Amino acid sequence: FTRRDIREKRPGLPLVIRFTVLNARTCSIIRNADIEIWHCDAGGEYSGVNGASTHFLRGHQKTNVKGKAEFLTIFPGWYRGRTPHIHMKVSVGGNVVHTGQVFFNEAITRKVYARAPYASRGVYDTPHAQDMIYSQAGGSSAELALVKRAGGAKGYLGTIAIGVAT
């Protein structure tokens, strides 16, 4: 589904994610790249699995003339054996050129998870250091740069540049 707001009324702390897609060799922006993201809700559940036709916290968009695409979602929850993350896929010209994940600063994650609706699940069980995919993805270079949203808006703004081979 092409859409900016992928929340579908799922409870959680608002999160705006701003991706910039770049050519990994030249660092030039890539217009019209398709970015798809998906992640679990605050309770650690995914939509669209086990035959479910739900689409919450899933969506895709094309990058604009500046190589940017922005999603409005919620801070993801966690599930056993994985550090908190958001899945992503980037396609250029119909070809998948990157499949990966983005991650979160652990101190901020602990603060978010101390609040409802996350707090009822307890502390997540897999820090970055114990998640093999985190290290394979580049560690801290695969973390969103997080800042509190401006203008009194609740939640965080996360930004990241994704270099892809085209």
Side-chain angles (χ1 to χ4, degrees), residues 1-8 10 35-41 45-50 52-61 71-74 86-87:
F1 293 97
T2 301
R3 58 194 181 153
R4 179 179 179 274
D5 185 345
I6 64 172
R7 298 174 295 171
E8 291 191 19
R10 300 312 279 195
I35 301 178
E36 177 184 1
I37 69 168
W38 66 99
H39 63 89
C40 66
D41 66 9
E45 300 295 324
Y46 281 95
S47 67
V49 295
N50 300 323
S53 61
T54 54
H55 297 95
F56 61 84
L57 307 175
R58 292 177 178 271
H60 70 94
Q61 293 186 58
F71 293 88
L72 174 57
T73 188
I74 61 166
I86 292 178
H87 300 268

PDB file of all heavy atoms in Angstrom, residues 1-8 10 35-41 45-50 52-61 71-74 86-87:
ATOM      1  N   PHE A   1       0.832  -1.185   0.000  1.00  0.00           N
ATOM      2  CA  PHE A   1       0.000   0.000   0.000  1.00  0.00           C
ATOM      3  C   PHE A   1       0.872   1.241   0.000  1.00  0.00           C
ATOM      4  O   PHE A   1       1.710   1.394   0.884  1.00  0.00           O
ATOM      5  CB  PHE A   1      -0.906   0.001   1.234  1.00  0.00           C
ATOM      6  CG  PHE A   1      -1.937  -1.085   1.212  1.00  0.00           C
ATOM      7  CD1 PHE A   1      -1.730  -2.274   1.878  1.00  0.00           C
ATOM      8  CD2 PHE A   1      -3.103  -0.911   0.501  1.00  0.00           C
ATOM      9  CE1 PHE A   1      -2.668  -3.270   1.867  1.00  0.00           C
ATOM     10  CE2 PHE A   1      -4.054  -1.900   0.471  1.00  0.00           C
ATOM     11  CZ  PHE A   1      -3.845  -3.090   1.160  1.00  0.00           C
ATOM     12  N   THR A   2       0.659   2.114  -0.961  1.00  0.00           N
ATOM     13  CA  THR A   2       1.392   3.371  -1.004  1.00  0.00           C
ATOM     14  C   THR A   2       0.722   4.326  -0.028  1.00  0.00           C
ATOM     15  O   THR A   2      -0.444   4.679  -0.203  1.00  0.00           O
ATOM     16  CB  THR A   2       1.375   3.973  -2.423  1.00  0.00           C
ATOM     17  OG1 THR A   2       1.966   3.044  -3.321  1.00  0.00           O
ATOM     18  CG2 THR A   2       2.154   5.282  -2.465  1.00  0.00           C
ATOM     19  N   ARG A   3       1.444   4.702   1.012  1.00  0.00           N
ATOM     20  CA  ARG A   3       0.896   5.620   2.011  1.00  0.00           C
ATOM     21  C   ARG A   3       1.985   6.118   2.936  1.00  0.00           C
ATOM     22  O   ARG A   3       2.980   5.444   3.165  1.00  0.00           O
ATOM     23  CB  ARG A   3      -0.220   4.960   2.803  1.00  0.00           C
ATOM     24  CG  ARG A   3       0.206   3.683   3.510  1.00  0.00           C
ATOM     25  CD  ARG A   3      -0.992   2.912   3.972  1.00  0.00           C
ATOM     26  NE  ARG A   3      -0.565   1.703   4.663  1.00  0.00           N
ATOM     27  CZ  ARG A   3      -1.269   1.107   5.583  1.00  0.00           C
ATOM     28  NH1 ARG A   3      -2.430   1.600   5.937  1.00  0.00           N
ATOM     29  NH2 ARG A   3      -0.835   0.017   6.152  1.00  0.00           N
ATOM     30  N   ARG A   4       1.772   7.312   3.452  1.00  0.00           N
ATOM     31  CA  ARG A   4       2.701   7.920   4.394  1.00  0.00           C
ATOM     32  C   ARG A   4       2.397   7.467   5.824  1.00  0.00           C
ATOM     33  O   ARG A   4       3.282   7.130   6.579  1.00  0.00           O
ATOM     34  CB  ARG A   4       2.621   9.447   4.293  1.00  0.00           C
ATOM     35  CG  ARG A   4       3.539  10.151   5.263  1.00  0.00           C
ATOM     36  CD  ARG A   4       3.445  11.668   5.112  1.00  0.00           C
ATOM     37  NE  ARG A   4       4.297  12.309   6.062  1.00  0.00           N
ATOM     38  CZ  ARG A   4       3.940  12.601   7.311  1.00  0.00           C
ATOM     39  NH1 ARG A   4       2.746  12.303   7.763  1.00  0.00           N
ATOM     40  NH2 ARG A   4       4.794  13.188   8.124  1.00  0.00           N
ATOM     41  N   ASP A   5       1.115   7.486   6.210  1.00  0.00           N
ATOM     42  CA  ASP A   5       0.690   7.117   7.563  1.00  0.00           C
ATOM     43  C   ASP A   5       0.330   5.634   7.571  1.00  0.00           C
ATOM     44  O   ASP A   5      -0.652   5.220   6.957  1.00  0.00           O
ATOM     45  CB  ASP A   5      -0.511   7.965   7.975  1.00  0.00           C
ATOM     46  CG  ASP A   5      -0.941   7.743   9.418  1.00  0.00           C
ATOM     47  OD1 ASP A   5      -0.525   6.741  10.047  1.00  0.00           O
ATOM     48  OD2 ASP A   5      -1.719   8.572   9.924  1.00  0.00           O
ATOM     49  N   ILE A   6       1.142   4.835   8.258  1.00  0.00           N
ATOM     50  CA  ILE A   6       0.931   3.385   8.264  1.00  0.00           C
ATOM     51  C   ILE A   6       0.417   2.871   9.610  1.00  0.00           C
ATOM     52  O   ILE A   6       0.351   1.671   9.832  1.00  0.00           O
ATOM     53  CB  ILE A   6       2.212   2.628   7.840  1.00  0.00           C
ATOM     54  CG1 ILE A   6       3.354   2.851   8.838  1.00  0.00           C
ATOM     55  CG2 ILE A   6       2.625   3.027   6.432  1.00  0.00           C
ATOM     56  CD1 ILE A   6       4.587   1.992   8.578  1.00  0.00           C
ATOM     57  N   ARG A   7       0.010   3.769  10.500  1.00  0.00           N
ATOM     58  CA  ARG A   7      -0.354   3.386  11.873  1.00  0.00           C
ATOM     59  C   ARG A   7      -1.634   2.574  11.992  1.00  0.00           C
ATOM     60  O   ARG A   7      -1.722   1.709  12.867  1.00  0.00           O
ATOM     61  CB  ARG A   7      -0.480   4.630  12.757  1.00  0.00           C
ATOM     62  CG  ARG A   7       0.818   5.395  12.887  1.00  0.00           C
ATOM     63  CD  ARG A   7       0.622   6.676  13.627  1.00  0.00           C
ATOM     64  NE  ARG A   7      -0.258   7.559  12.851  1.00  0.00           N
ATOM     65  CZ  ARG A   7      -0.760   8.685  13.294  1.00  0.00           C
ATOM     66  NH1 ARG A   7      -0.498   9.095  14.513  1.00  0.00           N
ATOM     67  NH2 ARG A   7      -1.536   9.430  12.525  1.00  0.00           N
ATOM     68  N   GLU A   8      -2.642   2.873  11.216  1.00  0.00           N
ATOM     69  CA  GLU A   8      -3.942   2.207  11.318  1.00  0.00           C
ATOM     70  C   GLU A   8      -4.419   2.074  12.759  1.00  0.00           C
ATOM     71  O   GLU A   8      -4.849   0.995  13.196  1.00  0.00           O
ATOM     72  CB  GLU A   8      -3.927   0.854  10.605  1.00  0.00           C
ATOM     73  CG  GLU A   8      -3.825   0.991   9.110  1.00  0.00           C
ATOM     74  CD  GLU A   8      -4.068  -0.301   8.370  1.00  0.00           C
ATOM     75  OE1 GLU A   8      -4.663  -1.246   8.926  1.00  0.00           O
ATOM     76  OE2 GLU A   8      -3.659  -0.356   7.199  1.00  0.00           O
ATOM     77  N   ARG A  10      -2.938   1.829  15.534  1.00  0.00           N
ATOM     78  CA  ARG A  10      -2.180   0.996  16.480  1.00  0.00           C
ATOM     79  C   ARG A  10      -1.652   1.897  17.586  1.00  0.00           C
ATOM     80  O   ARG A  10      -1.123   2.981  17.323  1.00  0.00           O
ATOM     81  CB  ARG A  10      -1.002   0.301  15.810  1.00  0.00           C
ATOM     82  CG  ARG A  10      -1.375  -0.627  14.674  1.00  0.00           C
ATOM     83  CD  ARG A  10      -2.478  -1.570  14.994  1.00  0.00           C
ATOM     84  NE  ARG A  10      -2.043  -2.737  15.737  1.00  0.00           N
ATOM     85  CZ  ARG A  10      -2.781  -3.827  15.872  1.00  0.00           C
ATOM     86  NH1 ARG A  10      -3.976  -3.910  15.323  1.00  0.00           N
ATOM     87  NH2 ARG A  10      -2.334  -4.842  16.550  1.00  0.00           N
ATOM     88  N   ILE A  35      10.526   2.728  -1.430  1.00  0.00           N
ATOM     89  CA  ILE A  35      10.917   2.259  -0.100  1.00  0.00           C
ATOM     90  C   ILE A  35       9.710   1.602   0.541  1.00  0.00           C
ATOM     91  O   ILE A  35       8.640   2.204   0.645  1.00  0.00           O
ATOM     92  CB  ILE A  35      11.403   3.401   0.805  1.00  0.00           C
ATOM     93  CG1 ILE A  35      12.600   4.106   0.193  1.00  0.00           C
ATOM     94  CG2 ILE A  35      11.745   2.871   2.197  1.00  0.00           C
ATOM     95  CD1 ILE A  35      13.086   5.270   1.011  1.00  0.00           C
ATOM     96  N   GLU A  36       9.887   0.366   0.962  1.00  0.00           N
ATOM     97  CA  GLU A  36       8.850  -0.379   1.665  1.00  0.00           C
ATOM     98  C   GLU A  36       9.345  -0.636   3.084  1.00  0.00           C
ATOM     99  O   GLU A  36      10.502  -1.014   3.280  1.00  0.00           O
ATOM    100  CB  GLU A  36       8.601  -1.712   0.961  1.00  0.00           C
ATOM    101  CG  GLU A  36       7.586  -2.585   1.648  1.00  0.00           C
ATOM    102  CD  GLU A  36       7.431  -3.944   0.976  1.00  0.00           C
ATOM    103  OE1 GLU A  36       8.119  -4.223  -0.025  1.00  0.00           O
ATOM    104  OE2 GLU A  36       6.623  -4.734   1.481  1.00  0.00           O
ATOM    105  N   ILE A  37       8.479  -0.404   4.078  1.00  0.00           N
ATOM    106  CA  ILE A  37       8.834  -0.711   5.464  1.00  0.00           C
ATOM    107  C   ILE A  37       7.730  -1.529   6.111  1.00  0.00           C
ATOM    108  O   ILE A  37       6.575  -1.484   5.686  1.00  0.00           O
ATOM    109  CB  ILE A  37       9.140   0.548   6.313  1.00  0.00           C
ATOM    110  CG1 ILE A  37       7.886   1.393   6.557  1.00  0.00           C
ATOM    111  CG2 ILE A  37      10.251   1.370   5.687  1.00  0.00           C
ATOM    112  CD1 ILE A  37       8.078   2.479   7.614  1.00  0.00           C
ATOM    113  N   TRP A  38       8.110  -2.282   7.135  1.00  0.00           N
ATOM    114  CA  TRP A  38       7.150  -3.020   7.948  1.00  0.00           C
ATOM    115  C   TRP A  38       7.791  -3.316   9.288  1.00  0.00           C
ATOM    116  O   TRP A  38       9.005  -3.466   9.397  1.00  0.00           O
ATOM    117  CB  TRP A  38       6.653  -4.276   7.245  1.00  0.00           C
ATOM    118  CG  TRP A  38       7.668  -5.351   7.003  1.00  0.00           C
ATOM    119  CD1 TRP A  38       7.876  -6.477   7.748  1.00  0.00           C
ATOM    120  CD2 TRP A  38       8.613  -5.425   5.920  1.00  0.00           C
ATOM    121  NE1 TRP A  38       8.884  -7.230   7.207  1.00  0.00           N
ATOM    122  CE2 TRP A  38       9.350  -6.609   6.080  1.00  0.00           C
ATOM    123  CE3 TRP A  38       8.911  -4.594   4.835  1.00  0.00           C
ATOM    124  CZ2 TRP A  38      10.366  -6.995   5.209  1.00  0.00           C
ATOM    125  CZ3 TRP A  38       9.922  -4.970   3.964  1.00  0.00           C
ATOM    126  CH2 TRP A  38      10.632  -6.166   4.152  1.00  0.00           C
ATOM    127  N   HIS A  39       6.970  -3.359  10.327  1.00  0.00           N
ATOM    128  CA  HIS A  39       7.477  -3.667  11.671  1.00  0.00           C
ATOM    129  C   HIS A  39       6.343  -4.107  12.572  1.00  0.00           C
ATOM    130  O   HIS A  39       5.169  -3.995  12.240  1.00  0.00           O
ATOM    131  CB  HIS A  39       8.241  -2.476  12.264  1.00  0.00           C
ATOM    132  CG  HIS A  39       7.424  -1.241  12.493  1.00  0.00           C
ATOM    133  ND1 HIS A  39       6.745  -1.017  13.658  1.00  0.00           N
ATOM    134  CD2 HIS A  39       7.214  -0.154  11.720  1.00  0.00           C
ATOM    135  CE1 HIS A  39       6.141   0.167  13.604  1.00  0.00           C
ATOM    136  NE2 HIS A  39       6.409   0.702  12.423  1.00  0.00           N
ATOM    137  N   CYS A  40       6.728  -4.613  13.743  1.00  0.00           N
ATOM    138  CA  CYS A  40       5.725  -5.086  14.697  1.00  0.00           C
ATOM    139  C   CYS A  40       5.135  -3.916  15.475  1.00  0.00           C
ATOM    140  O   CYS A  40       5.696  -2.828  15.538  1.00  0.00           O
ATOM    141  CB  CYS A  40       6.320  -6.137  15.636  1.00  0.00           C
ATOM    142  SG  CYS A  40       7.583  -5.557  16.758  1.00  0.00           S
ATOM    143  N   ASP A  41       3.980  -4.180  16.082  1.00  0.00           N
ATOM    144  CA  ASP A  41       3.320  -3.161  16.898  1.00  0.00           C
ATOM    145  C   ASP A  41       3.912  -3.154  18.309  1.00  0.00           C
ATOM    146  O   ASP A  41       4.878  -3.881  18.593  1.00  0.00           O
ATOM    147  CB  ASP A  41       1.805  -3.365  16.897  1.00  0.00           C
ATOM    148  CG  ASP A  41       1.335  -4.647  17.579  1.00  0.00           C
ATOM    149  OD1 ASP A  41       2.149  -5.351  18.228  1.00  0.00           O
ATOM    150  OD2 ASP A  41       0.134  -4.941  17.462  1.00  0.00           O
ATOM    151  N   GLU A  45       3.589  -7.794  17.688  1.00  0.00           N
ATOM    152  CA  GLU A  45       2.852  -8.519  16.656  1.00  0.00           C
ATOM    153  C   GLU A  45       2.996  -7.842  15.289  1.00  0.00           C
ATOM    154  O   GLU A  45       2.962  -6.623  15.194  1.00  0.00           O
ATOM    155  CB  GLU A  45       1.364  -8.587  17.017  1.00  0.00           C
ATOM    156  CG  GLU A  45       1.093  -9.288  18.331  1.00  0.00           C
ATOM    157  CD  GLU A  45       1.458 -10.754  18.330  1.00  0.00           C
ATOM    158  OE1 GLU A  45       1.270 -11.416  17.285  1.00  0.00           O
ATOM    159  OE2 GLU A  45       1.956 -11.247  19.363  1.00  0.00           O
ATOM    160  N   TYR A  46       3.121  -8.663  14.241  1.00  0.00           N
ATOM    161  CA  TYR A  46       3.170  -8.187  12.860  1.00  0.00           C
ATOM    162  C   TYR A  46       1.811  -8.375  12.201  1.00  0.00           C
ATOM    163  O   TYR A  46       1.096  -9.337  12.492  1.00  0.00           O
ATOM    164  CB  TYR A  46       4.188  -8.999  12.042  1.00  0.00           C
ATOM    165  CG  TYR A  46       5.615  -8.609  12.252  1.00  0.00           C
ATOM    166  CD1 TYR A  46       6.409  -9.279  13.171  1.00  0.00           C
ATOM    167  CD2 TYR A  46       6.192  -7.590  11.500  1.00  0.00           C
ATOM    168  CE1 TYR A  46       7.744  -8.944  13.349  1.00  0.00           C
ATOM    169  CE2 TYR A  46       7.525  -7.245  11.666  1.00  0.00           C
ATOM    170  CZ  TYR A  46       8.290  -7.923  12.593  1.00  0.00           C
ATOM    171  OH  TYR A  46       9.606  -7.584  12.759  1.00  0.00           O
ATOM    172  N   SER A  47       1.494  -7.515  11.254  1.00  0.00           N
ATOM    173  CA  SER A  47       0.317  -7.726  10.413  1.00  0.00           C
ATOM    174  C   SER A  47       0.716  -8.595   9.229  1.00  0.00           C
ATOM    175  O   SER A  47       1.902  -8.787   8.953  1.00  0.00           O
ATOM    176  CB  SER A  47      -0.226  -6.380   9.904  1.00  0.00           C
ATOM    177  OG  SER A  47       0.688  -5.783   9.004  1.00  0.00           O
ATOM    178  N   GLY A  48      -0.292  -9.119   8.549  1.00  0.00           N
ATOM    179  CA  GLY A  48      -0.051  -9.836   7.305  1.00  0.00           C
ATOM    180  C   GLY A  48       0.712 -11.143   7.429  1.00  0.00           C
ATOM    181  O   GLY A  48       1.299 -11.601   6.460  1.00  0.00           O
ATOM    182  N   VAL A  49       0.713 -11.762   8.601  1.00  0.00           N
ATOM    183  CA  VAL A  49       1.395 -13.054   8.758  1.00  0.00           C
ATOM    184  C   VAL A  49       0.379 -14.133   9.103  1.00  0.00           C
ATOM    185  O   VAL A  49      -0.723 -13.836   9.568  1.00  0.00           O
ATOM    186  CB  VAL A  49       2.516 -13.002   9.829  1.00  0.00           C
ATOM    187  CG1 VAL A  49       3.634 -12.077   9.402  1.00  0.00           C
ATOM    188  CG2 VAL A  49       1.976 -12.588  11.183  1.00  0.00           C
ATOM    189  N   ASN A  50       0.752 -15.375   8.879  1.00  0.00           N
ATOM    190  CA  ASN A  50      -0.117 -16.521   9.172  1.00  0.00           C
ATOM    191  C   ASN A  50      -1.496 -16.386   8.522  1.00  0.00           C
ATOM    192  O   ASN A  50      -2.516 -16.676   9.143  1.00  0.00           O
ATOM    193  CB  ASN A  50      -0.255 -16.731  10.687  1.00  0.00           C
ATOM    194  CG  ASN A  50       1.069 -17.003  11.343  1.00  0.00           C
ATOM    195  OD1 ASN A  50       1.925 -17.669  10.774  1.00  0.00           O
ATOM    196  ND2 ASN A  50       1.257 -16.488  12.549  1.00  0.00           N
ATOM    197  N   ALA A  52      -3.146 -13.693   7.788  1.00  0.00           N
ATOM    198  CA  ALA A  52      -3.914 -12.486   8.144  1.00  0.00           C
ATOM    199  C   ALA A  52      -3.886 -11.488   6.987  1.00  0.00           C
ATOM    200  O   ALA A  52      -2.864 -11.313   6.335  1.00  0.00           O
ATOM    201  CB  ALA A  52      -3.343 -11.848   9.405  1.00  0.00           C
ATOM    202  N   SER A  53      -5.011 -10.818   6.756  1.00  0.00           N
ATOM    203  CA  SER A  53      -5.083  -9.839   5.672  1.00  0.00           C
ATOM    204  C   SER A  53      -4.884  -8.409   6.173  1.00  0.00           C
ATOM    205  O   SER A  53      -5.130  -7.464   5.449  1.00  0.00           O
ATOM    206  CB  SER A  53      -6.425  -9.955   4.953  1.00  0.00           C
ATOM    207  OG  SER A  53      -7.483  -9.702   5.860  1.00  0.00           O
ATOM    208  N   THR A  54      -4.437  -8.247   7.402  1.00  0.00           N
ATOM    209  CA  THR A  54      -4.212  -6.915   7.969  1.00  0.00           C
ATOM    210  C   THR A  54      -2.960  -6.281   7.369  1.00  0.00           C
ATOM    211  O   THR A  54      -2.059  -6.975   6.892  1.00  0.00           O
ATOM    212  CB  THR A  54      -4.063  -7.006   9.499  1.00  0.00           C
ATOM    213  OG1 THR A  54      -3.031  -7.958   9.789  1.00  0.00           O
ATOM    214  CG2 THR A  54      -5.361  -7.441  10.154  1.00  0.00           C
ATOM    215  N   HIS A  55      -2.921  -4.934   7.399  1.00  0.00           N
ATOM    216  CA  HIS A  55      -1.802  -4.203   6.806  1.00  0.00           C
ATOM    217  C   HIS A  55      -1.232  -3.136   7.729  1.00  0.00           C
ATOM    218  O   HIS A  55      -0.537  -2.239   7.262  1.00  0.00           O
ATOM    219  CB  HIS A  55      -2.254  -3.539   5.502  1.00  0.00           C
ATOM    220  CG  HIS A  55      -2.670  -4.523   4.471  1.00  0.00           C
ATOM    221  ND1 HIS A  55      -3.977  -4.892   4.295  1.00  0.00           N
ATOM    222  CD2 HIS A  55      -1.951  -5.230   3.584  1.00  0.00           C
ATOM    223  CE1 HIS A  55      -4.052  -5.782   3.330  1.00  0.00           C
ATOM    224  NE2 HIS A  55      -2.842  -6.026   2.888  1.00  0.00           N
ATOM    225  N   PHE A  56      -1.530  -3.196   9.023  1.00  0.00           N
ATOM    226  CA  PHE A  56      -1.013  -2.163   9.914  1.00  0.00           C
ATOM    227  C   PHE A  56       0.516  -2.204   9.945  1.00  0.00           C
ATOM    228  O   PHE A  56       1.130  -3.251   9.838  1.00  0.00           O
ATOM    229  CB  PHE A  56      -1.608  -2.277  11.327  1.00  0.00           C
ATOM    230  CG  PHE A  56      -1.325  -3.562  12.067  1.00  0.00           C
ATOM    231  CD1 PHE A  56      -0.134  -3.721  12.774  1.00  0.00           C
ATOM    232  CD2 PHE A  56      -2.250  -4.585  12.077  1.00  0.00           C
ATOM    233  CE1 PHE A  56       0.130  -4.893  13.477  1.00  0.00           C
ATOM    234  CE2 PHE A  56      -2.008  -5.761  12.780  1.00  0.00           C
ATOM    235  CZ  PHE A  56      -0.808  -5.920  13.475  1.00  0.00           C
ATOM    236  N   LEU A  57       1.090  -1.034  10.054  1.00  0.00           N
ATOM    237  CA  LEU A  57       2.534  -0.835  10.158  1.00  0.00           C
ATOM    238  C   LEU A  57       3.286  -1.420   8.958  1.00  0.00           C
ATOM    239  O   LEU A  57       4.405  -1.913   9.087  1.00  0.00           O
ATOM    240  CB  LEU A  57       3.059  -1.373  11.499  1.00  0.00           C
ATOM    241  CG  LEU A  57       2.315  -0.822  12.723  1.00  0.00           C
ATOM    242  CD1 LEU A  57       2.806  -1.475  13.995  1.00  0.00           C
ATOM    243  CD2 LEU A  57       2.404   0.688  12.804  1.00  0.00           C
ATOM    244  N   ARG A  58       2.659  -1.314   7.782  1.00  0.00           N
ATOM    245  CA  ARG A  58       3.253  -1.720   6.510  1.00  0.00           C
ATOM    246  C   ARG A  58       2.904  -0.670   5.468  1.00  0.00           C
ATOM    247  O   ARG A  58       1.780  -0.181   5.439  1.00  0.00           O
ATOM    248  CB  ARG A  58       2.689  -3.057   6.026  1.00  0.00           C
ATOM    249  CG  ARG A  58       3.079  -4.234   6.870  1.00  0.00           C
ATOM    250  CD  ARG A  58       2.419  -5.518   6.352  1.00  0.00           C
ATOM    251  NE  ARG A  58       2.834  -6.646   7.143  1.00  0.00           N
ATOM    252  CZ  ARG A  58       3.905  -7.394   6.894  1.00  0.00           C
ATOM    253  NH1 ARG A  58       4.652  -7.149   5.836  1.00  0.00           N
ATOM    254  NH2 ARG A  58       4.231  -8.395   7.687  1.00  0.00           N
ATOM    255  N   GLY A  59       3.863  -0.352   4.623  1.00  0.00           N
ATOM    256  CA  GLY A  59       3.575   0.570   3.538  1.00  0.00           C
ATOM    257  C   GLY A  59       4.808   0.835   2.704  1.00  0.00           C
ATOM    258  O   GLY A  59       5.914   0.411   3.046  1.00  0.00           O
ATOM    259  N   HIS A  60       4.588   1.529   1.586  1.00  0.00           N
ATOM    260  CA  HIS A  60       5.720   1.921   0.750  1.00  0.00           C
ATOM    261  C   HIS A  60       5.427   3.263   0.102  1.00  0.00           C
ATOM    262  O   HIS A  60       4.278   3.704   0.042  1.00  0.00           O
ATOM    263  CB  HIS A  60       6.056   0.849  -0.292  1.00  0.00           C
ATOM    264  CG  HIS A  60       5.046   0.702  -1.374  1.00  0.00           C
ATOM    265  ND1 HIS A  60       5.145   1.349  -2.581  1.00  0.00           N
ATOM    266  CD2 HIS A  60       3.915  -0.029  -1.431  1.00  0.00           C
ATOM    267  CE1 HIS A  60       4.112   1.019  -3.336  1.00  0.00           C
ATOM    268  NE2 HIS A  60       3.349   0.185  -2.657  1.00  0.00           N
ATOM    269  N   GLN A  61       6.500   3.906  -0.343  1.00  0.00           N
ATOM    270  CA  GLN A  61       6.431   5.208  -1.001  1.00  0.00           C
ATOM    271  C   GLN A  61       7.585   5.342  -1.974  1.00  0.00           C
ATOM    272  O   GLN A  61       8.605   4.670  -1.820  1.00  0.00           O
ATOM    273  CB  GLN A  61       6.582   6.342   0.007  1.00  0.00           C
ATOM    274  CG  GLN A  61       5.479   6.500   0.972  1.00  0.00           C
ATOM    275  CD  GLN A  61       5.721   7.755   1.783  1.00  0.00           C
ATOM    276  OE1 GLN A  61       5.836   8.841   1.243  1.00  0.00           O
ATOM    277  NE2 GLN A  61       5.827   7.591   3.081  1.00  0.00           N
ATOM    278  N   PHE A  71       7.649   8.443   6.438  1.00  0.00           N
ATOM    279  CA  PHE A  71       6.550   7.631   6.956  1.00  0.00           C
ATOM    280  C   PHE A  71       6.164   8.121   8.344  1.00  0.00           C
ATOM    281  O   PHE A  71       7.025   8.511   9.128  1.00  0.00           O
ATOM    282  CB  PHE A  71       6.965   6.166   7.082  1.00  0.00           C
ATOM    283  CG  PHE A  71       7.229   5.491   5.771  1.00  0.00           C
ATOM    284  CD1 PHE A  71       8.491   5.531   5.196  1.00  0.00           C
ATOM    285  CD2 PHE A  71       6.220   4.795   5.121  1.00  0.00           C
ATOM    286  CE1 PHE A  71       8.740   4.892   3.992  1.00  0.00           C
ATOM    287  CE2 PHE A  71       6.457   4.161   3.913  1.00  0.00           C
ATOM    288  CZ  PHE A  71       7.722   4.209   3.347  1.00  0.00           C
ATOM    289  N   LEU A  72       4.872   8.047   8.656  1.00  0.00           N
ATOM    290  CA  LEU A  72       4.368   8.278  10.005  1.00  0.00           C
ATOM    291  C   LEU A  72       3.933   6.923  10.536  1.00  0.00           C
ATOM    292  O   LEU A  72       3.073   6.259   9.961  1.00  0.00           O
ATOM    293  CB  LEU A  72       3.197   9.256  10.003  1.00  0.00           C
ATOM    294  CG  LEU A  72       2.496   9.472  11.345  1.00  0.00           C
ATOM    295  CD1 LEU A  72       3.467   9.960  12.424  1.00  0.00           C
ATOM    296  CD2 LEU A  72       1.333  10.439  11.179  1.00  0.00           C
ATOM    297  N   THR A  73       4.554   6.512  11.634  1.00  0.00           N
ATOM    298  CA  THR A  73       4.287   5.202  12.211  1.00  0.00           C
ATOM    299  C   THR A  73       4.345   5.325  13.728  1.00  0.00           C
ATOM    300  O   THR A  73       4.148   6.415  14.266  1.00  0.00           O
ATOM    301  CB  THR A  73       5.288   4.153  11.640  1.00  0.00           C
ATOM    302  OG1 THR A  73       4.889   2.851  12.075  1.00  0.00           O
ATOM    303  CG2 THR A  73       6.727   4.446  11.999  1.00  0.00           C
ATOM    304  N   ILE A  74       4.577   4.235  14.408  1.00  0.00           N
ATOM    305  CA  ILE A  74       4.805   4.242  15.855  1.00  0.00           C
ATOM    306  C   ILE A  74       6.162   3.598  16.129  1.00  0.00           C
ATOM    307  O   ILE A  74       6.675   2.846  15.298  1.00  0.00           O
ATOM    308  CB  ILE A  74       3.703   3.484  16.631  1.00  0.00           C
ATOM    309  CG1 ILE A  74       3.658   2.015  16.214  1.00  0.00           C
ATOM    310  CG2 ILE A  74       2.360   4.181  16.495  1.00  0.00           C
ATOM    311  CD1 ILE A  74       2.844   1.114  17.132  1.00  0.00           C
ATOM    312  N   ILE A  86      13.102  -2.081  12.376  1.00  0.00           N
ATOM    313  CA  ILE A  86      12.119  -1.915  11.305  1.00  0.00           C
ATOM    314  C   ILE A  86      12.730  -2.503  10.049  1.00  0.00           C
ATOM    315  O   ILE A  86      13.871  -2.201   9.695  1.00  0.00           O
ATOM    316  CB  ILE A  86      11.752  -0.432  11.091  1.00  0.00           C
ATOM    317  CG1 ILE A  86      10.980   0.093  12.313  1.00  0.00           C
ATOM    318  CG2 ILE A  86      10.942  -0.246   9.803  1.00  0.00           C
ATOM    319  CD1 ILE A  86      10.611   1.559  12.245  1.00  0.00           C
ATOM    320  N   HIS A  87      11.978  -3.357   9.371  1.00  0.00           N
ATOM    321  CA  HIS A  87      12.416  -3.951   8.109  1.00  0.00           C
ATOM    322  C   HIS A  87      12.227  -2.936   6.980  1.00  0.00           C
ATOM    323  O   HIS A  87      11.302  -2.131   7.025  1.00  0.00           O
ATOM    324  CB  HIS A  87      11.567  -5.184   7.775  1.00  0.00           C
ATOM    325  CG  HIS A  87      11.638  -6.259   8.791  1.00  0.00           C
ATOM    326  ND1 HIS A  87      12.540  -7.289   8.723  1.00  0.00           N
ATOM    327  CD2 HIS A  87      10.913  -6.465   9.921  1.00  0.00           C
ATOM    328  CE1 HIS A  87      12.362  -8.086   9.761  1.00  0.00           C
ATOM    329  NE2 HIS A  87      11.384  -7.608  10.503  1.00  0.00           N
TER     330      HIS A  87
END
